[in-house]
Amino acid sequence: MRGAYDASETYVNALRFRSSLTRLSFLALVIVPVILATIFYGLVAAPRYTSEAQFIVRSVSSQRANGLEMLFRTFGLSRTVDDAYAVQKYIQSRDVVRALEERGYSIEKIFGHPSADFLSRYPRFWRKDSVEARYDYFLDRVSVTEDSVKGITLLKVASFDPVSARDVASALIKLAEEMVNRMNARAQRDVIDVAEKELRQAESNIIEAQAALTAFRNRELMIDPSKSSLGIIETIATLSSEIAFTSAQLKELRINSPANPAIPSMVAKITTLEDKVKEERTKLAGGDSSLSGKMAIYEQLALKRELTEKSLASALKSLDVARQEARRQHIYIEQVVAAHLTDEATEPRRLRGIFTVFVLGFAVFAVIWILSVGAGEHAQ
């Protein structure tokens, strides 16, 4: 009997201990956090003012069209998803934090406002001031989201002063526009530089071709060998006609007057004319110094100049197309809603914060309570 009584008393004591532990756990995990959260959000937490700005990244070259973008297409404009994403990443980058500080928007000055509470102001008491600390704090106060259907990007800046929130949001939009302008300038420079390089090369080639042709003319003392050859061909034709005429006269004299003293002179004339024809033909084609060789060199030089002229015309056309393409790929930021000066604090959401603390604390308490009940039943 004594053993049964001790076991019953031990069980009752265990139940009392678990009951006390449950009450303490509920107090520590639910009641105390909710009270602290109520005090913090009700009395300590400083109001934060949120300034919003909405913008669209527009581009002429985008091929995607949906939702509100169809309206922009009626004006020949559209947005690019990649460029919009690049703008969003830039706004949330360390570069933009550094650019803000260079323009007088110091993170410590803006978010270290005297009205801020000790948990929310910068620098936070548990972390020293550093570049990474300023960047992490900046991400907590600045958010950028995009409506993938309409293509509108929403920028929110929360600060303890409504003027600072508006000024920072406006500065971020301006920095984003400057970044987009740099992207445009580089894209245009990359596209046009290649075309201009090809144009300069084509100009250099045509100058070299023309210089080679001029040097040939100065060296050979003739403008166009083909025209010079026409004169030689005409001379040969004239001499051949004269040879034929003289030969006919000679043949007639030999038939009608074989003893005519003019026959030897006519024979000598025919021989001289034939020698002259041979000489002219040698000039036309008969060695390296002949006109045919010079014509071959001249035609090569003329063909090279003609090809370089075509290449120059093609390079000029390519440059014009590159400039048009560069203008077509131009992107820019269009503000749909400018950053506004809010007259009412939107953060922190006090009731939601208190309720969140209650739900989390109660959830942890419930898990511990279930485990303790299960352990008690197992021990029993």
Side-chain angles (χ1 to χ4, degrees):
M1 292 293 295
R2 183 64 181 174
Y5 175 78
D6 291 341
S8 176
E9 185 177 0
T10 302
Y11 177 72
V12 171
N13 291 334
L15 287 178
R16 290 175 179 175
F17 175 76
R18 285 199 299 271
S19 178
S20 300
L21 183 62
T22 300
R23 286 193 294 271
L24 289 174
S25 298
F26 185 79
L27 179 66
L29 297 175
V30 180
I31 301 300
V32 173
V34 169
I35 292 174
L36 293 177
T38 302
I39 295 173
F40 175 76
Y41 284 110
L43 302 176
V44 179
R48 296 195 296 269
Y49 301 86
T50 301
S51 181
E52 297 183 358
Q54 298 182 21
F55 62 89
I56 295 174
V57 179
R58 288 184 174 181
S59 172
V60 178
S61 62
S62 176
Q63 300 299 320
R64 179 182 173 185
N66 51 45
L68 187 61
E69 191 174 0
M70 292 299 296
L71 176 61
F72 298 148
R73 281 290 181 88
T74 61
F75 299 99
L77 300 170
S78 62
R79 69 182 179 88
T80 60
V81 177
D82 293 341
D83 295 328
Y85 182 73
V87 172
Q88 295 172 36
K89 298 304 291 183
Y90 174 73
I91 292 177
Q92 294 181 306
S93 68
R94 293 174 176 82
D95 291 341
V96 83
V97 174
R98 182 168 56 252
L100 282 174
E101 293 181 342
E102 290 175 353
R103 301 194 178 194
Y105 296 99
S106 170
I107 300 297
E108 186 174 4
K109 178 180 178 181
I110 294 173
F111 298 107
H113 198 272
S115 62
D117 59 86
F118 69 98
L119 288 178
S120 302
R121 75 164 57 98
Y122 182 85
R124 293 187 169 106
F125 67 87
W126 64 86
R127 190 173 182 181
K128 65 178 182 179
D129 181 26
S130 65
V131 175
E132 289 300 318
R134 291 195 294 271
Y135 175 64
D136 292 340
Y137 189 92
F138 174 81
L139 293 181
D140 291 340
R141 296 290 177 258
V142 176
S143 65
V144 184
T145 57
E146 181 193 8
D147 188 330
S148 60
V149 176
K150 297 179 180 180
I152 298 177
T153 301
L154 175 63
L155 169 65
K156 291 184 178 181
V157 177
S159 179
F160 305 102
D161 176 33
V163 177
S164 298
R166 182 198 59 186
D167 292 346
V168 171
S170 300
L172 289 174
I173 295 293
K174 187 174 181 180
L175 288 171
E177 290 175 345
E178 293 176 358
M179 187 272 289
V180 165
N181 291 335
R182 290 195 298 270
M183 290 175 59
N184 289 330
R186 179 167 183 176
Q188 293 176 6
R189 185 171 61 250
D190 291 344
V191 172
I192 294 176
D193 282 353
V194 175
E196 288 182 342
K197 183 178 180 181
E198 293 179 353
L199 178 60
R200 289 192 296 268
Q201 184 62 42
E203 291 174 344
S204 177
N205 292 339
I206 197 171
I207 291 173
E208 292 178 1
Q210 185 62 45
L213 191 59
T214 302
F216 171 82
R217 287 170 173 170
N218 293 333
R219 184 176 64 252
E220 302 298 337
L221 301 178
M222 61 179 66
I223 301 299
D224 190 347
S226 60
K227 295 181 179 179
S228 300
S229 65
L230 292 177
I232 295 176
I233 292 173
E234 291 177 357
T235 300
I236 293 174
T238 301
L239 292 175
S240 298
S241 298
E242 192 172 352
I243 290 173
F245 179 72
T246 305
S247 297
Q249 287 182 333
L250 178 60
K251 185 176 182 180
E252 184 179 356
L253 286 177
R254 283 177 175 174
I255 293 173
N256 297 328
S257 180
N260 193 315
I263 291 176
S265 62
M266 294 180 70
V267 172
K269 181 180 179 181
I270 291 172
T271 302
T272 301
L273 291 173
E274 289 177 346
D275 292 340
K276 185 63 177 176
V277 169
K278 291 179 181 180
E279 181 181 349
E280 293 298 324
R281 286 177 176 171
T282 301
K283 291 180 181 179
L284 191 63
D288 296 337
S289 61
S290 64
L291 197 58
S292 61
K294 296 177 182 179
M295 284 182 63
I297 297 174
Y298 175 81
E299 288 175 353
Q300 291 177 1
L301 295 175
L303 178 61
K304 183 177 180 180
R305 186 185 65 177
E306 182 180 357
L307 292 176
T308 54
E309 288 176 349
K310 292 181 179 179
S311 177
L312 178 61
S314 176
L316 287 170
K317 185 177 180 180
S318 298
L319 179 59
D320 184 58
V321 171
R323 287 172 176 168
Q324 293 178 5
E325 181 68 15
R327 288 192 293 268
R328 192 173 68 87
Q329 292 181 351
H330 184 79
I331 61 174
Y332 60 96
I333 292 178
E334 180 68 25
Q335 285 197 58
V336 178
V337 178
H340 66 284
L341 183 64
T342 181
D343 58 353
E344 183 179 352
T346 57
E347 295 182 13
R349 298 184 179 180
R350 304 177 188 277
L351 293 178
R352 189 176 71 173
I354 296 172
F355 182 73
T356 300
V357 171
F358 169 77
V359 170
L360 291 177
F362 190 82
V364 174
F365 166 76
V367 171
I368 295 176
W369 180 77
I370 292 172
L371 292 177
S372 64
V373 170
E377 292 179 353
H378 181 73
Q380 183 181 1

